[in-house]
Amino acid sequence: MELTVDVLSCHSWLQPQDYWIKELEDIEAKEKDSKAVFECEYSKPNARIHWYKNKLEIFQGHKYNFVSEEGEIKLIINRIAMEDQGKYVVTADDKSCSAYLTISGKM
């Protein structure tokens, strides 16, 4: 008696998990500085990006400029004032990272 076994092979093509290549870092600025810049890098260049300050979403305009090119992501905060101090969070799709901006009095 001869036994023959056919093996059915199944390949599952898993997408690699997206991740932060470089996370945000805390920064310090002086009141009245012209700008402060948060920088990070994400593995998926076309991810949907959102920025938050102290849990409230912020939007591009005179105060905030958003830059996102080839996975490099920047938040530029213009005309630094004491009220800019706080926790900033960036989300890319469903992943987030955060850092603090600390403001010292003008010198």
Side-chain angles (χ1 to χ4, degrees):
M1 175 179 208
E2 192 174 309
L3 180 63
T4 305
V5 177
D6 288 330
V7 177
L8 178 64
S9 107
C10 177
H11 294 285
S12 151
W13 299 102
L14 295 176
Q15 297 271 339
Q17 192 77 327
D18 294 315
Y19 60 95
W20 294 103
I21 295 168
K22 177 185 174 197
E23 293 194 10
L24 294 176
E25 295 181 6
D26 294 344
I27 56 176
E28 295 182 18
K30 294 185 179 95
E31 186 179 19
K32 305 288 185 189
D33 279 354
S34 63
K35 66 181 175 180
V37 180
F38 282 108
E39 299 179 76
C40 56
E41 190 172 353
Y42 194 62
S43 64
K44 183 179 170 186
N46 60 345
R48 181 177 295 204
I49 305 297
H50 293 276
W51 285 97
Y52 301 85
K53 177 190 171 224
N54 297 330
K55 299 184 181 180
L56 298 174
E57 188 168 6
I58 57 177
F59 301 94
Q60 180 142 324
H62 294 293
K63 184 66 176 176
Y64 303 110
N65 291 326
F66 304 158
V67 178
S68 182
E69 296 176 351
E70 300 298 318
E72 292 182 22
I73 303 163
K74 292 181 186 180
L75 167 63
I76 302 166
I77 306 166
N78 296 303
R79 299 177 311 279
I80 300 304
M82 291 302 284
E83 56 267 16
D84 294 321
Q85 182 166 286
K87 181 179 180 180
Y88 288 80
V89 176
V90 60
T91 63
D93 295 332
D94 64 343
K95 304 225 180 323
S96 66
C97 66
S98 64
Y100 288 89
L101 172 60
T102 303
I103 308 294
S104 59
K106 60 182 180 182
M107 300 197 100

